[in-house]
Amino acid sequence: MLNGIENLVAAGCDVVSLTGNTPHIVFDVLEAKSPVPVVSIIKATCEEASRQGLKKVGLLGTRFTMEGDFFKKPFREKGIEVFAPDAKDLDYIAEKIAHELEHGIVTEETRSGFLRVIQNLIAKEGIEAVVLGCTELPLLFDGLALPVACLDTLEIHARALLAAMDLSA
């Protein structure tokens, strides 16, 4: 990935980003070695959650994103608790992302299943918002009103990247 960043810089880029959540497993290393600013999808989402005054959020995403600490750590540092689904729901989400959403398959059954997971997080953890921590998840929730606030990492990251590009101009 660092070679990719170096190629982008050589081509004239002043700002770069990782456009997915799970690749942020290595974000800190890349950021430290990058010759230009690297805009983080996680840090941008964390800043938005903080701006909204949120204290408890649910996290939906790939297995690595939901189980790993790389996504949760910046939130904890801002005093925001991050809750992943229980093991059964985590397995459900991971399977649906890998076998449906990553292939552009969106069904009402899957949408209902994810809504059930969100309701479980509301009931068990008292979440105030849900983080769509996988760039395919907006496909599933497009045009749907969720029972809590929604932090779409893809949308938030795009806004942060545009703001960073404007600052570097």
Side-chain angles (χ1 to χ4, degrees), residues 58 118-119 122 126-131 145-151:
I118 293 168
Q119 291 290 359
I122 293 168
I127 64 167
E128 305 161 294
V130 63
V131 175
L146 296 178
V148 291
C150 177
L151 298 173

Side-chain angles (χ1 to χ4, degrees), residues 60-73:
L60 306 181
T62 65
R63 180 174 302 281
F64 291 112
T65 297
M66 292 185 290
E67 290 180 336
D69 195 52
F70 70 96
F71 199 104
K72 299 169 189 167
K73 184 180 176 196

Side-chain angles (χ1 to χ4, degrees), residues 24-94:
H24 275 65
I25 292 169
V26 296
F27 181 85
D28 292 341
V29 172
L30 293 174
E31 182 181 41
K33 294 183 178 192
S34 175
V36 297
V38 184
V39 180
S40 167
I41 197 169
I42 296 171
K43 290 178 184 176
T45 303
C46 182
E47 288 297 324
E48 179 61 21
S50 181
R51 187 190 68 71
Q52 290 184 25
L54 300 171
K55 296 296 177 199
K56 291 183 172 187
V57 299
L59 175 60
L60 306 181
T62 65
R63 180 174 302 281
F64 291 112
T65 297
M66 292 185 290
E67 290 180 336
D69 195 52
F70 70 96
F71 199 104
K72 299 169 189 167
K73 184 180 176 196
F75 284 79
R76 273 197 317 271
E77 291 170 354
K78 290 256 186 207
I80 302 169
E81 293 180 87
V82 178
F83 298 95
D86 63 27
K88 179 181 165 196
D89 287 344
L90 193 142
D91 289 341
Y92 174 82
I93 290 168

Side-chain angles (χ1 to χ4, degrees), residues 100-120:
E100 292 180 17
L101 299 177
E102 287 181 354
H103 302 284
I105 300 167
V106 177
T107 68
E108 284 302 317
E109 178 184 345
T110 299
R111 185 175 284 127
S112 294
F114 273 75
L115 287 172
R116 177 191 50 76
V117 170
I118 293 168
Q119 291 290 359
N120 288 345

